[in-house]
Amino acid sequence: MRIRTAGVVALFALALAASGCGGDSDEPAAKETPRAAGGKLVIWADDKRAVALKPFAEKFGQENGVTVEVQAVSKDLQTNFVTASQQGSGPDVVVGAHDWIGNLVQNGAIDPVQLSAEQKSGFNETAIKAVTFNGQLYGVPYAQENLALIRNTELAPEAPKTIEDLVANGKQLKAAKKVTETLCLQVGQNGDAYHIYPLYASAGGYLFGTGANGDYDPKDLGVGKPESIEAFKKIGALGEKGEGVLKRSIADTNSIATFTGKKCAYLVSGPWAVADVKKANITYDISAVPGFAGGKEAQPFVGVQAFYVAAKGKNKALAQEFVANYTTTPELAVALYQAEPRPPALTAALDQVKGSDPDLAKFQEAGKNGQVLPAIPAMAAIWDPFGKAEAAVIGGADPTSTITAAGKTISGQIK
């Protein structure tokens, strides 16, 4: 397990607050039982979020007379958390993606989070939906994200209405030797289900059906059904043996760099790509990923980042206090946005930052009809077989046999 401290200092051995450190009216519960509980609060997060959390963890420790330890887990955070939880050596709070929830609940690793109706109303509705599992709230969301189409406006002044329009303009640019690639959409040798999903959905494919309550139904697997085969026929037509728009040579390691190097006019990516685009001094704009002509709307997945309370943490009451009443403040949400600019899930925080960052509204608009990334445990069976089938079809494999086989593999892995 690769764990290192956040910034220069990870362990905050903090005394009881001096005057002026507490008492803010917007943090009502910080005065009660956690102060009496004392002890230590351990938080796990990735590198960037661990650094951003440092001053807020320090303040929480001061106000509650406790020690707060923030640890940056550099790799495989979810897997390490589940393993540590089972061994009784895990943290009290962990920060991660919402699609972990099904797996974490299945492994008994997290507890529901107690938020009031008023607190819930302060968040984007989609974000609250994403962290709700089996009717219970299991996390406090702080950011949400989705894919969009980022285009170089010097090469592509207008947003394409369909993927066919994009291909046509990209071909013209290639013919004029202004670009070398039509589209930068990462595929790689093993595929990428997340990035291909908008086109898959536009072509009529789906991963899981939904029940009457709107929850994903693992018994209704869409992969391998006729709709998915037809979808991959359209995707295959854009592949290496077809239009040459989708390529395995475009991967997570080079898709953004190919765009910032002005070798393609269009990039399908998320908010995390914007910093590199700006650094390259590219004039850009952001719009929705276009779908197939005559098809459904292209729907990107909407992902949410959240705080979780560990079920087997050593100081659960303190963890609930931190997650429910500290991570719900605009100050922390803005700090996390500044660490990595992804749209805040807390409406008050979004209102603070969107005036200085017009890209936030554009990403939100691009994802307004997106689908919440499934958080059910069965989703873990999707990624590898689906991605490999995608890469194979883009490389020229037969869609019918390839997707049928992928569906059987996924079905066999779902328990």
Side-chain angles (χ1 to χ4, degrees):
M1 191 187 311
R2 294 173 56 200
I3 301 178
R4 64 177 184 79
T5 56
V8 178
V9 182
L11 180 62
F12 308 106
L14 301 168
L16 200 60
S19 60
C21 290
D24 292 344
S25 60
D26 60 345
E27 296 165 1
K31 305 173 184 175
E32 300 299 334
T33 54
R35 178 182 293 278
K40 181 171 73 172
L41 183 73
V42 179
I43 304 170
W44 281 10
D46 68 15
D47 293 345
K48 289 184 179 179
R49 268 151 284 272
V51 172
L53 280 170
K54 175 180 175 179
F56 295 90
E58 182 175 9
K59 181 182 178 184
F60 181 82
Q62 289 174 336
E63 291 182 352
N64 293 284
V66 297
T67 300
V68 181
E69 185 175 338
V70 179
Q71 295 179 339
V73 182
S74 302
K75 187 178 180 182
D76 299 328
L77 177 53
Q78 180 184 186
T79 302
N80 284 326
F81 170 60
V82 171
T83 300
S85 175
Q86 293 169 344
Q87 295 173 348
S89 59
D92 301 292
V93 174
V94 66
V95 185
H98 87 270
D99 58 301
W100 297 4
I101 291 177
N103 181 47
L104 297 183
V105 172
Q106 189 176 53
N107 281 281
I110 57 173
D111 280 342
V113 177
Q114 309 303 320
L115 291 188
S116 68
E118 183 179 358
Q119 285 176 309
K120 289 181 185 178
S121 68
F123 290 92
N124 178 287
E125 186 177 345
T126 300
I128 289 293
K129 180 181 179 181
V131 294
T132 301
F133 183 75
N134 289 339
Q136 294 195 78
L137 189 77
Y138 274 96
V140 170
Y142 72 83
Q144 63 185 73
E145 60 200 17
N146 55 265
L147 295 174
L149 182 71
I150 304 172
R151 70 182 191 279
N152 182 329
T153 54
E154 291 182 0
L155 298 171
E158 302 297 326
K161 294 181 179 179
T162 65
I163 194 68
E164 288 84 356
D165 289 343
L166 184 155
V167 171
N169 188 55
K171 282 187 169 182
Q172 290 178 1
L173 292 170
K174 282 188 73 175
K177 300 189 183 304
K178 294 183 177 180
V179 298
T180 58
E181 303 291 347
T182 303
L183 170 65
C184 287
L185 186 154
Q186 64 188 59
V187 177
Q189 296 303 312
N190 292 314
D192 189 314
Y194 182 80
H195 280 79
I196 201 63
Y197 188 79
L199 294 181
Y200 176 72
S202 174
Y206 72 99
L207 297 184
F208 299 105
T210 53
N213 62 355
D215 290 345
Y216 287 108
D217 180 5
K219 295 179 182 178
D220 183 3
L221 176 65
V223 183
K225 290 187 176 177
E227 298 94 331
S228 67
I229 293 170
E230 291 304 311
F232 268 99
K233 286 180 179 178
K234 289 189 174 183
I235 289 170
L238 296 175
E240 296 166 16
K241 299 293 179 65
E243 297 281 4
V245 174
L246 299 174
K247 297 180 177 181
R248 291 169 293 177
S249 59
I250 301 293
D252 59 343
T253 55
N254 64 357
S255 61
I256 296 173
T258 303
F259 179 78
T260 57
K262 299 184 179 181
K263 296 178 181 178
C264 65
Y266 302 101
L267 169 68
V268 173
S269 194
W272 53 87
V274 171
D276 286 344
V277 174
K278 288 181 176 179
K279 187 176 180 180
N281 293 317
I282 289 177
T283 305
Y284 68 96
D285 204 354
I286 299 165
S287 57
V289 177
F292 289 99
K296 297 180 179 181
E297 186 175 23
Q299 293 183 296
F301 280 131
V302 177
V304 168
Q305 298 290 319
F307 288 86
Y308 303 111
V309 173
K312 299 176 183 177
K314 294 179 174 60
N315 209 329
K316 293 169 67 170
L318 196 63
Q320 283 282 353
E321 169 65 18
F322 180 82
V323 171
N325 291 307
Y326 258 64
T327 71
T328 53
T329 62
E331 293 81 7
L332 178 54
V334 170
L336 290 168
Y337 158 80
Q338 290 169 341
E340 190 171 38
R342 305 188 186 204
L346 191 65
T347 303
L350 180 65
D351 289 342
Q352 284 187 34
V353 300
K354 67 182 182 182
S356 60
D357 189 350
D359 292 342
L360 291 181
K362 293 177 182 179
F363 271 109
Q364 281 201 316
E365 179 66 19
K368 67 179 181 180
N369 294 315
Q371 292 185 14
V372 174
L373 183 64
I376 56 177
M379 187 64 192
I382 291 283
W383 298 113
D384 185 66
F386 187 99
K388 288 178 177 175
E390 170 209 346
V393 170
I394 286 173
D398 174 61
T400 301
S401 60
T402 303
I403 303 308
T404 299
K408 290 180 179 178
T409 299
I410 293 167
S411 181
Q413 291 179 4
I414 296 175
K415 298 176 182 179

